[in-house]
Amino acid sequence: MAELIAIEAPDDPRLHDYTGLTDVELRRRREPAEGLFIAEGEKVIRRAGQAGYAMRSMLLSAKWVEPMRDVIDGSGAPVYVIDPDLAERVTGYHVHRGALASMQRKELPEASELLAEARRVVVMESVNDHTNIGAIFRSAAALGMDAVLLSPDCADPLYRRSVKVSMGAVFSVPYARLEGWPRGLETVREAGFKLLALTPAERAVSIDEAAPHKLDRVALMLGAEGEGLSQKALRAADEWVRIPMAHGVDSLNVGAAAAVAFYAVATGRPES
């Protein structure tokens, strides 16, 4: 049975994993370097464990000890029980869900490993908004995409905000980082995938016309909010596709556009 440890000082060195969680730049550097990420809330913590991530420790308010008892006993990791006001001083924000866990990262697979088994993949270029990353992973999991590939400058899917927005779906869809950009796209093409660039450009064909659900292997390329895919990424694509718009709307938020496009890619529409 794991040990419950009462914490009374915000500078207790045992809480190192949880300090300054609102300092985005600090956490973006620290967490990958130290091999950890933070899971927030009961559902997300449970999903991280079910996905095979090892627990380093937990930080709980007293009321969450019993609801999390099976997780506590199953992990064997130290559990720090802390007053909510003190937790806020440690983390930098009010921990609304009352439960945090520091989890150990896994080594990322090579892109080629994922491509060998996949048929429908997402390729993200320069998506740095953690909310969008989380939303895209959640849609990818829900709509049956097989894997996610990230350009070298994409944000970390295991950053706390991304994990929270995805409701733990970042643990359900395997992902890897491509080496070099857009050079890494050749790895995708060589694995037999057709590269479809999602863009509102006029020269792009309707995604219905492209009929990606009929293709054997498809890689859907998504760019950052606002800027979209870069010119070098567009040039590297096999075809440009767009989502038809009505009422004078020119584009959707990348998270919303991803969900629509994933349905077209992975599930398709009934034949008319």
Side-chain angles (χ1 to χ4, degrees):
M1 183 178 292
E3 180 184 5
L4 301 181
I5 303 166
I7 298 293
E8 298 180 354
D11 59 352
D12 191 310
R14 292 172 293 187
L15 301 184
H16 174 74
D17 286 1
Y18 303 97
T19 57
L21 294 186
T22 57
D23 188 333
V24 178
E25 288 307 313
L26 173 65
R27 299 302 301 197
R28 285 174 68 177
R29 294 193 303 271
R30 261 190 61 190
E31 291 185 8
E34 296 178 17
L36 68 93
F37 69 92
I38 300 297
E40 180 177 6
E42 180 185 5
K43 287 183 180 179
V44 172
I45 292 171
R46 289 183 182 277
R47 287 173 182 170
Q50 290 162 1
Y53 289 94
M55 186 178 292
R56 293 161 61 108
S57 67
M58 295 182 72
L59 184 70
L60 301 177
S61 58
K63 71 175 184 178
W64 278 102
V65 172
E66 286 311 309
M68 300 293 289
R69 176 62 67 180
D70 60 318
V71 177
I72 292 170
D73 293 343
S75 74
V79 178
Y80 306 121
V81 182
I82 191 168
D83 178 83
D85 291 336
L86 188 57
E88 184 171 353
R89 292 171 64 188
V90 173
T91 64
Y93 75 105
H94 179 64
V95 184
H96 299 281
R97 298 178 185 270
L100 295 171
S102 174
M103 311 296 294
Q104 189 71 38
R105 289 175 183 252
K106 301 177 185 178
E107 185 175 350
L108 284 183
E110 296 291 332
S112 57
E113 293 178 40
L114 299 187
L115 292 169
E117 301 296 330
R119 293 186 61 244
R120 304 285 185 259
V121 302
V122 188
V123 181
M124 286 193 245
E125 179 193 32
S126 305
V127 179
N128 283 305
D129 183 278
H130 293 105
T131 297
N132 285 335
I133 288 275
I136 291 169
F137 264 88
R138 189 172 185 181
S139 293
L143 295 168
M145 302 298 283
D146 298 321
V148 175
L149 302 178
L150 307 171
S151 68
D153 57 349
C154 273
D156 179 13
L158 294 183
Y159 180 72
R160 179 174 59 88
R161 179 64 179 166
S162 300
V163 173
K164 183 177 179 180
V165 170
S166 79
M167 289 299 294
V170 293
F171 311 135
S172 303
V173 184
Y175 71 94
R177 288 195 182 269
L178 292 168
E179 294 185 10
W181 188 263
R183 185 179 69 253
L185 292 173
E186 285 305 310
T187 301
V188 185
R189 182 177 284 109
E190 289 169 1
F193 287 80
K194 184 170 184 179
L195 293 164
L196 301 183
L198 190 65
T199 171
E202 288 187 11
R203 61 163 277 191
V205 302
S206 163
I207 198 165
D208 294 298
E209 182 182 340
H213 62 291
K214 295 182 180 180
L215 299 173
D216 184 48
R217 286 186 156 185
V218 179
L220 181 71
M221 299 164 57
L222 303 173
E225 186 75 28
E227 297 178 0
L229 290 165
S230 67
Q231 288 301 310
K232 59 185 178 182
L234 289 169
R235 287 193 296 269
D238 295 313
E239 188 171 16
W240 295 9
V241 298
R242 58 179 171 78
I243 298 169
M245 300 286 167
H247 302 292
V249 176
D250 60 355
S251 64
L252 296 172
N253 165 277
V254 67
V260 174
F262 294 166
Y263 178 78
V265 167
T267 311
R269 313 276 207 305
E271 295 295 333
S272 57

